[in-house]
Amino acid sequence: MFDILVYLYETYYRPDACPEPAALARKLSAVGFDDVEISEALDWLNGLTEMAGTTNPALESSGTRFYIAQEVDTLGTAAVGFIQFLELAGLLTASQREIVIERALALDEAPVTLGKLKIIVLMLLWSQGKEPDALMFDDLFGSDEEDAAPRLLH
C-alpha cells in the first residue's frame, strides 16, 4: 500500500490532479500494482480525505498530548517521538498530529515503522496541498538508520 502512496505523491503534484477513484484504480493496476493493495490504498486515502476535511477548534490547543497505552503500543515509541518532534518544531499543528495518529492507527499493524509514519505525514501534507519545508523534508526523507550513508536528493 505504501508503494502506491509514494507513487501518487511522485506522480500527482496535487491531490486534485488525481483522477476519480475508479480511473485511478485502473491506472494503478495498469502500472502493475496489486488489486488488493490498490483497494487498501484508496480506502486509506478516503479516510485521510475525510479526516483532513474536518476541523475541530479544540485540537488547536497548545496543551500536552498524552498517548493512551493502545496508541503507544500501535505507534511505537519511535513514531510517538517523531510526531512530538514535528509538533514541537512547529512543522505539524495539533489537528494535523491527530490526523497522523488516526491514519497510523488505521493501518492494523504494530508498531508502525518510522518510514511508514513519515509517508503518512507526507501524504497528509500532500492532501492539504502543502509542501514540507526544508527541515521537514530532510526528516521525512532522511535515513532511519544511524549507520546509513547520507541520501542524495536531486
Side-chain angles (χ1 to χ4, degrees), residues 1-99:
M1 177 182 90
F2 281 90
D3 290 336
I4 293 173
L5 297 178
V6 171
Y7 174 82
L8 292 175
Y9 180 82
E10 291 175 345
T11 304
Y12 299 102
Y13 181 69
R14 299 179 327 267
D16 59 351
C18 282
E20 293 298 316
L24 180 58
R26 286 191 301 274
K27 286 186 179 208
L28 292 170
S29 183
V31 171
F33 290 109
D34 180 71
D35 289 341
V36 173
E37 286 184 330
I38 293 170
S39 177
E40 288 174 358
L42 293 179
D43 287 345
W44 189 90
L45 281 171
N46 188 41
L48 176 64
T49 302
E50 289 175 10
M51 287 292 300
T54 61
T55 57
N56 185 349
L59 291 178
E60 294 307 324
S61 71
S62 59
T64 301
R65 168 63 152 90
F66 290 95
Y67 293 82
I68 62 172
Q70 176 192 6
E71 291 171 332
V72 174
D73 291 343
T74 302
L75 295 171
T77 56
V80 169
F82 187 68
I83 292 169
Q84 289 176 331
F85 163 74
L86 292 177
E87 188 177 10
L88 290 173
L91 303 172
L92 280 183
T93 65
S95 62
Q96 288 173 323
R97 174 200 64 217
E98 293 304 314
I99 294 169

Side-chain angles (χ1 to χ4, degrees), residues 137-151:
F137 193 83
D138 287 345
D139 286 328
L140 292 176
F141 291 105
S143 175
D144 296 337
E145 299 179 25
E146 294 176 12
D147 298 336
R151 295 173 92 177

